[in-house]
Amino acid sequence: MEPIIKSLLETDLYKFSMGQTIYHQFPGYITTWTFKCRNKDIKFSHEMVEEIKRQIKLYSELHFSEDELEYLRTIKWLKNSYLDFLRLWHPRYEEFTITEEGDCGLSIETSGTWLNTSMYEIPTLAIVNEVYFRMKYEYKELLISYERKLDEKVALLREGKYQLSNFSEFGLRRRLSDAAQDMAVRKLSENNFPGSNFVGTSNVYLARKYNVKPVGTMAHEWIMCVGQGNHKHNPAYSNWYALDAWVKEYGVLNGIALTDTITTDCFLRDFKLTYATLFSGVRHDSGDPYAWGEKIIAHYEELGINPKTKTLLFSDSLDFEKATALYKHFGDRINVSFGIGTYISNDTDVSALNIVMKTTYCNSQDVAKLSDVEGKGMCKNPEYVDYLQRSIKWRMDH
C-alpha cells in the first residue's frame, strides 16, 4: 500500500487546539492511549496488523514543512511559540505497542508525553480503517458504492430535500480511505445547497487543499486529562479545571465546549455565567439530542443569556435526515450546526467500523469518560469508574 497519512496536517483541527494548550500549560503530563474496536464480529488478520505497523512507521517519518506551518499560522488563535515547537516535532514509533492480542486480533497502545500521544490518535484510527477495508474487501467496488451514495446525498442537498443550516465533515478517524474523504470534501465544497451551508472539515490537510474552514475545538481527552490527571483534583470538578485552562489560553476565541465527558448534568454545574458567556456554544456527543438541546437552552435562559447568541453543535452518529429534524426543532430558538462523520466519509455497501482510541491513564492514574449514555464510556479500571461516579453523585446531591 501507498502511505495512508501523507502529511502531519492530516489530523483533526482540535488536536492543534488542544496541543497548543498542552504545550503551554501541561507539557509534562504523561498519558497512555488504548485502541478499542466496539464491533463484536470484527477480526484483524496477521497481515492487516503487519500493514498497520508498516503504515504507522511511515507516518512516524513525517515532519511539518514550512508551507504547512505557514498555513497553520493563518489560524488566528495558533501562536508562534507552538508553531516553532511543531517545526521540531514528529511522531515516535517507539511510543507505539502494536500486537495481535485482544478479541478483535489487534491491540494498540501509545505511551509518552500527552503532547506526543494526543497527536497519534486520529492518524492511527485512519490507518486502521483504511488497512481493514482495503484488505478485507474488494476496495475498488467499495469505492464505487461509496461514490454512488455520496452523489445521491449531494443531489438531495442540491434539491433542498435536507435543511442542515451549517454543517461540517468530521469523518477522518473512520473514513473508508483518504481518497473517499477527499472526494467528499471536494464535492461538498464545489456545490451550493438551498437551506444548507457546507462550512468545512475537521481534516486540516483537506481544509487547506480545498480552501474551506478547518473546524474543531476540544475532545473528551481534554476534560479527562486536565480534570483527572492532577492527583490533587476532585474529578467531579473536571469540567471546571478544563474550562478554566481553555479560557486562560484562548479567552473568547475557539470556544465550543464539550459537555458529556462526566455527564452533561455535572458539566452544567460549572458552566455558569462567565463560561457560558465566553464560550460561543456547546457540543453534543451522546444521549438524546433533543433532551440535551432543551436542557442547554433552558440553562442559557436561566443565566439570562439569549440562546440566539449561542450555538448547539451536534456530532453524534448523524445523517442528513437526523440533522434536518434537529434543525427544524431548534433552529428558530438557537444557532444550530452539525459535525457529520461516518455518514459522509464511510457509507458503502458494507458496515463501517466502530473504533476508538481513548486516554486510559494520565500521570500514572486512571482516567475515565462516562458519557451521557452507556456504551460510549471507556476506562480500564472499574474501581476508578465507581470512584468517579460516587464523586459526581456526592457533588450533585450536595
Side-chain angles (χ1 to χ4, degrees):
M1 273 186 214
E2 293 295 312
I4 291 171
I5 303 297
K6 301 177 180 64
S7 164
L8 292 181
L9 288 183
E10 202 157 10
T11 191
D12 285 339
L13 179 69
Y14 65 21
K15 288 299 179 179
F16 296 110
S17 305
M18 294 183 293
Q20 175 169 282
T21 317
I22 295 166
Y23 176 68
H24 287 143
Q25 299 185 40
F26 308 99
Y29 274 31
I30 304 296
T31 58
T32 297
W33 291 67
T34 304
F35 169 84
K36 181 179 181 179
C37 180
R38 291 171 175 161
N39 307 78
K40 300 301 182 184
D41 56 345
I42 297 299
K43 192 74 174 178
F44 290 85
S45 67
H46 169 75
E47 291 76 18
M48 290 177 187
V49 176
E50 290 302 305
E51 181 60 22
I52 288 167
K53 290 180 182 178
R54 192 180 76 86
Q55 288 289 340
I56 291 177
K57 286 180 181 176
L58 292 172
Y59 158 68
S60 299
E61 295 171 0
L62 296 172
H63 292 76
F64 284 100
S65 70
E66 289 301 316
D67 285 346
E68 290 170 338
L69 293 171
E70 282 304 309
Y71 173 75
L72 291 176
R73 207 177 302 277
T74 66
I75 300 172
K76 62 182 177 180
W77 39 260
L78 286 179
K79 301 171 184 176
N80 288 333
S81 56
Y82 178 57
L83 297 177
D84 282 344
F85 161 75
L86 291 181
R87 181 175 284 108
L88 304 174
W89 185 83
H90 71 93
R92 298 185 68 246
Y93 184 73
E94 296 81 3
E95 294 180 332
F96 287 82
T97 301
I98 307 170
T99 72
E100 297 177 32
E101 298 174 1
D103 294 338
C104 69
L106 173 64
S107 171
I108 304 175
E109 280 203 338
T110 62
S111 295
T113 63
W114 188 17
L115 200 56
N116 278 2
T117 53
S118 174
M119 296 290 279
Y120 301 156
E121 175 198 2
I122 306 301
T124 298
L125 292 174
I127 285 169
V128 169
N129 256 301
E130 186 158 349
V131 167
Y132 178 81
F133 285 108
R134 282 184 179 273
M135 297 183 73
K136 175 72 174 178
Y137 300 99
E138 179 56 53
Y139 169 72
K140 290 183 179 178
E141 293 180 7
L142 277 188
L143 193 61
I144 290 170
S145 71
Y146 170 80
E147 185 168 17
R148 183 188 76 249
K149 292 190 173 192
L150 176 64
D151 287 343
E152 290 171 358
K153 295 182 180 84
V154 170
L156 291 171
L157 283 173
R158 281 202 305 261
E159 293 168 10
K161 175 178 173 57
Y162 300 114
Q163 306 289 312
L164 305 179
S165 182
N166 294 321
F167 75 101
S168 302
E169 187 277 325
F170 272 22
L172 173 51
R173 71 185 63 207
R174 293 176 187 161
R175 68 188 185 184
L176 172 65
S177 64
D178 61 338
Q181 191 185 22
D182 187 290
M183 184 192 304
V185 174
R186 174 176 57 80
K187 292 191 176 191
L188 289 170
S189 64
E190 65 189 14
N191 281 278
N192 293 314
F193 310 115
S196 301
N197 176 36
F198 178 64
V199 174
T201 174
S202 63
N203 184 331
V204 182
Y205 176 81
L206 291 180
R208 180 193 184 205
K209 180 175 180 179
Y210 290 106
N211 194 31
V212 297
K213 184 179 180 180
V215 181
T217 303
M218 67 176 68
H220 297 99
E221 66 173 280
W222 177 251
I223 296 96
M224 291 164 66
C225 292
V226 174
Q228 301 170 40
N230 185 328
H231 299 190
K232 297 177 182 178
H233 290 174
N234 180 335
Y237 292 81
S238 294
N239 289 300
W240 185 90
Y241 290 109
L243 294 172
D244 185 61
W246 199 266
V247 169
K248 286 178 182 175
E249 186 71 24
Y250 295 115
V252 298
L253 297 176
N254 198 22
I256 295 287
L258 182 58
T259 71
D260 70 332
T261 305
I262 57 169
T263 74
T264 293
D265 287 339
C266 191
F267 169 85
L268 293 177
R269 289 291 179 97
D270 292 313
F271 199 60
K272 297 303 185 184
L273 185 59
T274 298
Y275 294 134
T277 301
L278 289 173
F279 281 83
S280 58
V282 289
R283 177 160 74 93
H284 171 267
D285 198 54
S286 66
D288 183 333
Y290 294 94
W292 175 86
E294 295 292 348
K295 186 178 293 184
I296 298 297
I297 290 173
H299 185 73
Y300 279 130
E301 290 175 340
E302 184 181 337
L303 295 174
I305 295 173
N306 182 356
K308 290 186 177 181
T309 66
K310 300 298 179 180
T311 297
L312 300 181
L313 171 59
F314 294 91
S315 62
D316 181 29
S317 305
L318 293 174
D319 56 31
F320 290 166
E321 186 174 347
K322 291 177 183 177
T324 296
L326 285 165
Y327 176 63
K328 288 180 178 178
H329 185 85
F330 291 111
D332 61 344
R333 291 184 287 158
I334 193 168
N335 296 313
V336 177
S337 62
F338 303 96
I340 303 177
T342 308
Y343 177 73
I344 292 178
S345 69
N346 197 354
D347 185 12
T348 70
D349 289 337
V350 302
S351 297
L353 292 181
N354 187 354
I355 57 175
V356 295
M357 198 162 175
K358 297 292 184 185
T359 325
T360 46
Y361 297 103
C362 182
N363 298 332
S364 302
Q365 176 167 290
D366 294 287
V367 293
K369 169 194 170 189
L370 296 182
S371 191
D372 283 333
V373 65
E374 289 187 16
K376 295 195 77 172
M378 188 165 174
C379 180
K380 286 189 170 185
N381 185 353
E383 290 185 1
Y384 178 76
V385 174
D386 178 66
Y387 161 67
L388 177 58
Q389 289 172 331
R390 285 187 290 110
S391 298
I392 293 168
K393 185 178 187 305
W394 193 95
R395 183 185 180 194
M396 300 299 288
D397 290 348
H398 297 82

